[in-house]
């Protein structure tokens, strides 16, 4: 880890690989704000974020091997941890320090999001309005936080007398629209739909409007990842709001502690809150 | 607020020599490229995927010509066949697309207090990005060495063969003059700027890297990047409003970036919105940048101790601190913090007025808000700008569509890479001016989804 000062000032970077399909371009605002938060803290110590965008998992692992071999980064921020994630082990073998943004694997240093608390807040908001049939269009089921949220939703729904159904999407607008259509076409359509990101929620909103539904009177929609897309939607989407910039800052603090050889305590993002806009309301009587 | 510290610095490089305007859309025959091969390559780029028959329609070239040129492009590795179009009864058409990994370009945005680097593929899609501290008080030659050293590191980090790099686009705030560039690359004291006067930054970087280097101002680059990403749709008159350390705009008219005879078109920050307003650093009064630019918003927020404390504003000087604090104000406004929101909305009213002026003068169809300022505060500004333009243009021939860029945070660096891709791979014919292209038949661009 230790490098001389000259080398440090020339190249010292923290690596972050984003593996995503090109069509998920809409993910950019979220990640750029996250990275801006990391950069703001790292810059105080003369470090930068090296962002590398790849198409798939294999390319991501290849990047880590290359970085380790050429000593191009001092540490890695790992995003989107998956259920059986091989990446922390790979990074460990390569000798690259890692901080996980999300649920960690074993004792890997991590900055966690309170997915359980956030889902409870979302369900409480909808239940408080009187919804008893709630659907969720989730992200990919391979992601840890998708599974955590699903478990939290089912755990919160039962005791509250809520029927909950989860369909797994892939964060794209296409899947948001298609799964919303399937839900609305079912025998017992939900009166409220939760989406795991902004792109799917906006697509779901547009589809519901095309079907002639009056939002929120006929159907309530709740998005995740508050973004410009949600704020500028018509009507503006009620969302779960994470302080993404703060998330990045917390990750940077953990990275700096790791590089300083200090013990890295587990950090938690503040629990997400419901930002009430104009897509959630009590269910209309003919739908409940 | 920002001194014109780099004013009259001669940062000459490839302007006028290598640099020309951009062309997109399938009307490549109407867009005078330097070669028919460039026209075909640009038509493929703009379409995303397209058949040979589609290329005949798009370029106006004959079937044998298209067949020949496509074979050459495939042999050079720039274009690949990628499956078939859906059958329409006749024989199935083979689709062509750019071979994204065939070439790469580096975009460098030398901004106040920070230098952003991106590496893009042949289609202008970002593969890697890194930010480094800005020029500050360093010697120009030191800055050139630093940039030159960063480029191979960036390429190595993604494992790309250095031979595939076509060149470097280098952009910075401030207007161009003649063959050089003036402006405020770093908001330092005037004394710091003297060493930059007359320094040929583009040429020096070209010499150090042995790569083609193209220079331009950051707002124009952002507009070209937006155009390449398809963000202007089919509009024949579009603008990118750029909110960075200052306010600027880049124009894309009929598929070509319009920079005026001296490269000074789109200096939106110095549109007057208050005849008796405060004195701007440019010497005039009431410029929108002086009345409502990021530095003015930050100064107002810092003057409110309660707000400054609540949202953690720094007391630090310098452009980097202003950028950081403007972002903090924008985030607070989005959260609904009342005083931060009021400051942003006040600023937005003046920005909207300047945007209306630009839309009126240029008969704009699309305005895209971009740059780091709008990346954070865009959702606060956008409704205000939209409303201003809707109120005025609802009576006229067409509405003005106002959108947020999808790559607002790194728009200039991405556009810088597009600049060099364009000049090296799909150049326009020598000496093209937008007035010449406007002299021809005017038809809206179609299918510009590349
Ligand atoms: Zn001015």
């Amino acid at each position: 880890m230790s490098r001389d000062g000259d080398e440090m000032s020339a190249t010292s970077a923290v690596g972050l690989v984003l593996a995503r399909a090109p069509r998920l371009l809409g993910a950019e605002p979220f990640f750029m704000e996250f990275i801006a938060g990391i950069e703001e803290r790292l810059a105080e110590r003369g470090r930068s974020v090296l962002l590398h965008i790849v198409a798939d998992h294999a390319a991501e692992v290849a990047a880590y091997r290359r970085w380790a071999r050429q000593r191009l980064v001092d540490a890695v921020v790992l995003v989107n941890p998956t259920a059986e994630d091989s990446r922390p082990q790979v990074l460990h073998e390569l000798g690259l320090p890692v901080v996980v943004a999300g649920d960690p694997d074993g004792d890997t240093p991590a900055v966690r999001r309170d997915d359980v608390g956030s889902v409870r807040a979302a369900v409480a908001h909808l239940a408080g309005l009187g919804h008893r049939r709630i659907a969720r269009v989730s992200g990919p089921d391979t992601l840890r936080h998708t599974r955590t949220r699903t478990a939290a939703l089912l755990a919160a729904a039962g005791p509250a007398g809520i029927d909950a159904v989860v369909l797994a999407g892939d964060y794209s607008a296409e899947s948001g629209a298609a799964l919303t259509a399937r839900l609305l076409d079912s025998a017992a359509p939900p009166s409220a739909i939760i989406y795991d990101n902004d792109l799917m929620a906006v697509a779901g909103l547009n589809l519901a409007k095309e079907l002639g539904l009056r939002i929120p009177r006929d159907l309530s929609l709740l998005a995740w990842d508050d973004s410009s897309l949600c704020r500028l939607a018509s009507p503006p989407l009620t969302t779960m709001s994470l302080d993404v910039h703060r998330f990045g800052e917390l990750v940077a603090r953990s990275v700096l502690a790791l590089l300083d050889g200090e013990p890295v305590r587990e950090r938690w993002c503040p629990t997400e809150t419901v930002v009430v806009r104009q897509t959630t309301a009590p269910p209309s009587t003919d739908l409940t | 607020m920002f001194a014109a510290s780099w004013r009259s610095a001669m940062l000459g490089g490839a302007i006028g020599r290598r640099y020309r305007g951009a062309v997109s859309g399938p009307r490549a025959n109407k867009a005078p490229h330097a070669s028919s091969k460039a026209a075909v390559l640009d038509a493929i780029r703009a379409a995303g995927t397209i058949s040979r028959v589609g290329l005949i329609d798009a370029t106006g070239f004959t079937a044998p010509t298209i067949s020949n040129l496509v074979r050459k492009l495939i042999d050079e590795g720039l274009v690949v066949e990628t499956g078939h179009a859906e059958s329409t009864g006749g024989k199935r058409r083979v689709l062509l697309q750019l071979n994204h990994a065939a070439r790469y370009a580096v975009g460098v945005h030398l901004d106040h207090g920070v230098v952003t680097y991106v590496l893009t593929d042949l289609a202008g899609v970002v593969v890697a990005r890194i930010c480094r501290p800005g020029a500050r008080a360093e010697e120009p030659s030191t800055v050139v060495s630093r940039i030159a050293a960063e480029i191979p590191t960036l390429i190595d980090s993604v494992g790309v063969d250095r031979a595939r790099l076509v060149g470097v686009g280098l952009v910075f705030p401030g207007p161009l003059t003649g063959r050089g560039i003036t402006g405020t690359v770093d908001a330092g004291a005037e004394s710091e700027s003297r060493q930059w006067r007359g320094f040929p930054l583009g040429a020096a970087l070209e010499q150090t890297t042995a790569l083609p280097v193209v220079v331009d101002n950051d707002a124009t680059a952002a507009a070209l990047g937006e155009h390449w990403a398809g963000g202007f749709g089919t509009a024949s008159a579009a603008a990118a409003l750029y909110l960075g350390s200052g306010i600027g705009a880049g124009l894309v008219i009929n598929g070509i970036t319009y920079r005026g005879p001296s490269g000074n078109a789109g200096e939106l920050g110095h549109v007057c919105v208050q005849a008796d307003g405060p004195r701007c650093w440019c010497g005039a009064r009431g410029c929108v940048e002086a009345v409502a630019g990021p530095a003015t918003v930050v100064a107002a927020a810092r003057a409110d101790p309660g707000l400054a404390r609540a949202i953690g504003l720094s007391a630090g000087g310098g452009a980097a601190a202003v950028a950081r604090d403007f972002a903090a104000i924008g985030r607070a406004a989005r959260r609904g913090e009342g005083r931060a929101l009021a400051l942003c909305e006040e600023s937005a009213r003046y920005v909207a007025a300047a945007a209306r002026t630009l839309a009126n003068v240029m008969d704009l169809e699309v305005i895209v808000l971009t740059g780091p300022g709008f990346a954070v505060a865009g959702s606060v500004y956008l409704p205000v700008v939209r409303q201003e333009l809707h109120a005025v243009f609802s009576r006229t021939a067409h509405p003005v569509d106002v959108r947020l860029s999808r790559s607002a945070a790194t728009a200039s660096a991405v556009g810088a890479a597009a600049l060099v891709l364009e000049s090296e791979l799909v150049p326009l014919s020598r000496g093209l001016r937008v007035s010449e292209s406007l002299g021809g038949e005017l038809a809206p661009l179609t299918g510009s989804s590349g």
Side-chain angles (χ1 to χ4, degrees):
Chain A
M1 272 318 301
S2 62
R3 304 167 68 172
D4 65 70
D6 273 346
E7 222 182 326
M8 193 79 104
S9 63
T11 62
S12 80
V14 173
L16 193 160
V17 181
L18 196 51
R20 64 162 191 206
R23 70 197 167 106
L24 292 181
L25 195 68
E28 169 143 348
F30 179 90
F31 276 102
M32 292 318 294
E33 188 146 333
F34 175 64
I35 289 165
I38 302 177
E39 282 177 335
E40 205 169 297
R41 289 285 153 254
L42 290 189
E44 294 165 359
R45 300 274 297 273
R47 291 177 185 275
S48 306
V49 175
L50 172 62
L51 170 68
H52 183 19
I53 299 165
V54 299
D56 53 34
H57 176 76
E60 178 173 350
V61 170
Y64 295 145
R65 294 190 186 287
R66 193 165 54 240
W67 288 353
R69 199 169 53 241
Q70 302 184 26
R71 306 185 67 194
L72 286 169
V73 302
D74 302 324
V76 164
V77 173
L78 196 149
V79 296
N80 290 331
T82 59
E84 266 121 49
D85 209 326
S86 59
R87 296 173 298 170
Q89 184 59 34
V90 169
L91 290 164
H92 181 71
E93 285 164 13
L94 292 170
L96 282 173
V98 57
V99 171
V100 176
D103 293 350
D105 177 73
D107 54 2
T108 309
V111 177
R112 306 183 63 173
R113 295 171 64 163
D114 180 13
D115 286 302
V116 172
S118 302
V119 167
R120 281 189 192 137
V123 171
H125 171 66
L126 294 173
L129 291 169
H131 292 279
R132 292 295 176 268
R133 277 203 307 277
I134 297 176
R136 170 164 155 267
V137 176
S138 77
D141 197 38
T142 49
L143 295 177
R144 271 173 199 257
H145 76 263
T146 302
R147 295 188 178 190
T148 307
R149 286 182 194 174
T150 299
L153 174 64
L154 298 178
I162 289 169
D163 280 339
V165 56
V166 178
L167 298 181
D170 65 4
Y171 288 140
S172 70
E174 291 83 354
S175 77
L179 296 176
T180 302
R182 200 200 293 177
L183 286 167
L184 295 177
D185 203 33
S186 61
S191 63
I193 306 178
I194 300 171
Y195 296 86
D196 265 14
N197 78 343
D198 50 357
L199 275 183
M200 294 193 296
V202 171
L205 170 63
N206 290 336
L207 180 106
K209 287 196 296 187
E210 276 167 32
L211 293 175
L213 295 179
R214 291 156 302 176
I215 311 293
R217 200 182 129 172
D218 298 337
L219 177 68
S220 283
L221 303 175
L222 176 59
W224 225 280
D225 291 346
D226 192 12
S227 73
S228 301
L229 281 178
C230 295
R231 290 185 288 270
L232 299 172
S234 172
L237 276 155
T238 297
T239 66
M240 299 305 295
S241 176
L242 174 72
D243 188 341
V244 182
H245 190 267
R246 173 121 183 93
F247 188 16
E249 286 184 293
L250 291 170
V251 167
R253 283 187 200 289
S254 288
V255 168
L256 290 170
L258 194 62
L259 291 173
D260 289 344
E262 293 168 4
V264 184
R265 62 184 179 82
E266 188 175 69
R267 289 184 162 82
W268 285 81
C269 281
T271 304
E272 286 149 71
T273 52
V274 182
V275 179
V276 180
R277 297 205 181 91
Q278 295 169 35
T279 59
T280 49
S284 60
T285 45
D286 56 328
L287 271 173
T288 48
Chain B
M1 168 83 196
F2 300 123
S5 54
W6 278 25
R7 191 176 269 176
S8 67
M10 294 294 290
L11 306 178
I15 287 185
R17 179 161 57 83
R18 201 171 268 110
Y19 184 71
R20 286 154 216 115
V23 165
S24 177
R27 282 180 64 248
N29 61 323
K30 304 294 196 300
H33 287 86
S35 71
S36 47
K37 197 170 79 176
V40 170
L41 189 61
D42 206 23
I44 296 170
R45 179 199 68 72
T49 60
I50 191 168
S51 69
R52 285 174 178 78
V53 173
L55 282 173
I56 294 169
D57 293 343
T59 63
F61 297 150
T62 63
T65 302
I66 289 294
S67 174
N68 254 327
L69 293 170
V70 166
R71 194 179 323 115
K72 273 186 198 161
L73 289 167
I74 290 175
D75 288 347
E76 286 175 40
L78 295 174
V79 168
V80 289
E81 296 186 333
T82 174
H84 295 79
E86 278 175 36
S87 177
T88 51
K91 76 172 178 184
R92 300 202 308 153
R93 292 168 177 178
V94 179
L95 289 176
L96 303 161
Q97 70 171 34
L98 293 185
N99 178 12
H100 283 223
R103 297 287 187 278
Y104 291 84
V106 172
V108 184
H109 183 204
L110 195 55
D111 199 2
H112 302 270
V114 63
V115 187
T116 305
Y117 300 80
V118 298
L119 183 73
T120 75
D121 64 20
L122 174 57
V125 175
V126 176
V127 177
R129 168 197 177 275
I130 193 164
C131 291
R132 296 295 196 186
R136 302 218 173 91
E138 289 169 337
E139 291 288 324
S141 58
T142 310
V143 174
V144 168
S145 305
R146 216 143 57 79
I147 294 173
E150 196 71 50
I151 290 167
T153 308
L154 191 64
I155 296 162
D156 291 350
S157 74
V158 301
V160 164
D161 180 357
R162 291 185 194 180
R164 294 191 172 198
L165 191 63
V166 302
V168 182
L170 176 61
V171 303
F172 26 93
L176 315 168
T177 62
R179 289 180 52 256
I181 287 184
T182 69
T184 54
V185 172
D186 204 3
E190 183 68 18
S191 60
E192 283 173 24
S193 73
R194 289 208 185 98
Q195 58 191 342
W196 288 95
R197 275 197 189 138
F199 185 79
L201 184 56
L205 187 62
E206 201 160 58
Q207 199 168 23
T208 313
T209 58
L211 287 164
V213 174
V214 180
V215 294
D216 209 331
N217 91 40
D218 55 5
T220 302
L224 178 63
E226 198 65 40
H227 178 55
W228 267 49
F232 293 135
T234 58
S236 58
L241 253 59
Y242 187 87
L243 192 66
S245 36
I247 300 172
L251 296 163
V252 175
I253 305 301
N254 219 29
I256 301 173
T257 46
Y258 178 74
R259 49 178 49 71
S262 66
N264 288 320
E267 273 293 292
L268 192 73
H270 304 285
V271 163
C272 182
V273 290
Q274 237 179 42
D276 299 319
R279 181 80 69 188
C280 175
W281 62 261
C282 75
R285 278 196 183 279
C287 298
V288 65
E289 192 168 303
V291 174
T296 306
V297 173
V298 167
R302 284 176 178 172
D304 179 341
L307 176 62
R309 210 167 27 248
I311 64 176
L313 298 186
S314 63
V322 168
R324 197 167 54 238
D325 282 359
F326 184 77
I329 295 162
R331 288 193 301 272
R334 275 175 4 199
R335 284 196 303 270
E337 210 289 334
R339 291 161 294 176
L341 186 61
L343 284 174
C344 285
E345 285 181 340
E346 169 85 354
S347 162
R349 283 179 49 233
Y350 289 101
V351 171
R356 169 162 59 77
T357 300
L358 188 66
N360 271 314
V361 171
M362 298 305 296
D363 194 15
L364 297 176
E365 293 165 290
V366 178
I367 291 176
V368 172
L369 307 186
T370 193
F374 286 134
V376 176
S379 62
V380 177
Y381 280 75
L382 185 110
V384 182
V385 178
R386 253 186 197 160
Q387 194 183 8
E388 176 83 15
L389 288 166
H390 179 76
V392 173
F393 284 85
S394 54
R395 297 186 306 273
T396 62
H398 61 81
V400 183
D401 188 3
V402 186
R403 309 173 188 164
L404 269 186
S405 172
R406 287 177 142 190
S407 57
T410 43
S412 287
V414 172
L419 272 173
V420 73
L421 284 168
E422 181 200 70
S423 84
E424 291 301 308
L425 293 168
V426 292
L428 300 187
S429 56
R430 208 170 178 76
L432 176 85
R433 289 286 178 273
V434 72
S435 54
E436 293 168 21
S437 73
L438 286 172
E441 179 196 352
L442 280 176
L445 295 173
T446 53
S448 176
S449 60

